[in-house]
Amino acid sequence: MDTAPTQMNYATTSTGNVIVEGPLSDDTLGRSIVPARAYTGDEEFAHEQRTIFRSGWSWAGYAHWLPNVGDVRPTTIAGTPVLLVRSTEDEIKVFHNSCRHRGMVLTEEPIEVTQRIQCAYHCWSYNLDGSLAAAPYFTRERRGQPSPEAKERLHLLPVPSAVWAGMVFVNLSDDPRPFEESAGPLIERWSHIDFDRLHLAAEREFDLQVNWKLTVENFLDFYHLPFVHPQVGPVTASLDVDDVVIEPSLIIGGTYPRGAVGKAKKTEDQLPYLGDVPEEKKESQDIFCLFPNALVFLEADWFQVIAIDPRSATHTVEHMAVFVDEAAADPRYAGAIADLVEVLFHVNEQDIPFLYKLQAGRNSIGSDHTSLVPQWDQITAMFQTIVAAKAGYGSER
Ligand code: FES
Ligand SMILES: [Fe+2]
């Protein structure tokens, strides 16, 4: 597979940064791509749930949420309740969370079952592969079960799903493209990483009263780093981010060729690498949005995910997880891991007041006259262009 990000033209600035030539030019100054109402309106939120979150692959959870066979975890994607289940074959499967009898959700809380998921209403029960196991008194007789044909038909409805890099993805569209194909270029770019060896270092939820798009845009905004996160490094180092477009409609972000967060700590207690990392990638950090809701960060010795879980127009939950190599589970790395996690959590905390103020600004008519600038904001503009195309926001411009 050709994974070189060749689809785009690139510009190199005087400081050596690579900037993609995206949708922005000086002519677009003062023109918004996504209208302000898309950050505040309930109708727009519902529309985006349908046109964005139900139209392709979305992050739906972490594999470590289901460590054991029989673990069942409900969640909601684009308003649709689904169940993540660790099956008897030790694989994660996803089903619509809806009993095949009267459509009741089977559980609203995580549960552990020994063999079957049982509906509380009339006690139909399902095996971990989704097949109907039993439906008591189905024929109104004591042992009356559905016929084999009826049983065959009445399994839980499967949702196409994929597990990669510790994450569970689902696809609620009518005609899903295989995940391996969709995310293929990123899987290939990171093929030196052994994701089977991920060890959870820390996990935290951030409950934010902001629109989901602002959280994504903030991570694609490399311009704010020296102003909001001065600890990331001297201005020259912090600004040294190359824009990277792996696939214009799906995988966009950037890379720090010489590393960023946590770099200063690398010399002592060097954490074990997450795979056979080539020399040129030992210092670099990749930051990508796997559209729409997985923000993934990779250095040679840690992997971070900030998964964006939109709840309403002005409410978003971020599920943040930091992973290291399983060899780093050794207690001698405890200090280095604690330092790393503190740095990463701190960076995210620093952004929160800015997100709230960005959200507040969306109530101003000024937000329809903002100026993403070609020198800095091409990646943000690309994200907004994908959103606008899917949700049909182009017509207001
Ligand atoms: S609704 Fe589930 S058994 Fe009747
Ligand atoms: Fe930030």
Side-chain angles (χ1 to χ4, degrees), residues 218 224-225 228-229 347 351:
N218 178 58
H224 79 282
L225 295 170
V228 175
H229 312 291
V347 168
D351 282 319

Side-chain angles (χ1 to χ4, degrees), residues 8 26 48 58 127 153 183 186 209 212 214 222 243 260 279 286 289 309 319 322 355:
M8 308 300 300
D26 286 340
E48 287 176 7
S58 293
N127 296 308
R153 248 190 353 256
L186 187 59
Q209 304 308 309
W212 73 276
L214 288 177
F222 307 121
D243 289 352
E279 207 52 44
D286 274 356
C289 170
D309 178 0
H319 303 273
V322 181
L355 290 172

Side-chain angles (χ1 to χ4, degrees), residues 55-127:
S55 74
W57 290 99
S58 293
W59 178 96
Y62 288 114
H64 68 257
W65 286 355
L66 306 132
N68 304 311
V69 168
D71 286 342
V72 178
R73 175 112 183 186
T75 187
T76 302
I77 306 298
T80 300
V82 300
L83 282 182
L84 314 183
V85 177
R86 184 157 305 261
S87 74
T88 316
E89 297 77 41
D90 205 11
E91 285 169 4
I92 293 177
K93 295 186 184 294
V94 181
F95 303 102
H96 285 279
N97 188 1
S98 173
C99 179
R100 292 302 307 280
H101 178 215
R102 297 286 296 121
M104 196 162 101
V105 295
L106 294 163
T107 181
E108 291 174 302
E109 300 297 331
I111 50 172
E112 292 167 37
V113 301
T114 39
Q115 269 182 350
R116 292 173 181 182
I117 306 165
Q118 185 170 296
C119 178
Y121 202 12
H122 313 98
C123 290
W124 287 21
S125 60
Y126 300 90
N127 296 308

Side-chain angles (χ1 to χ4, degrees), residues 8 20 22-23 245 248 252 377-387:
M8 308 300 300
V20 300
V245 175
I252 55 178
D377 301 318
Q378 295 288 9
I379 296 291
T380 307
M382 292 187 82
F383 169 74
Q384 292 198 356
T385 302
I386 307 170
V387 167

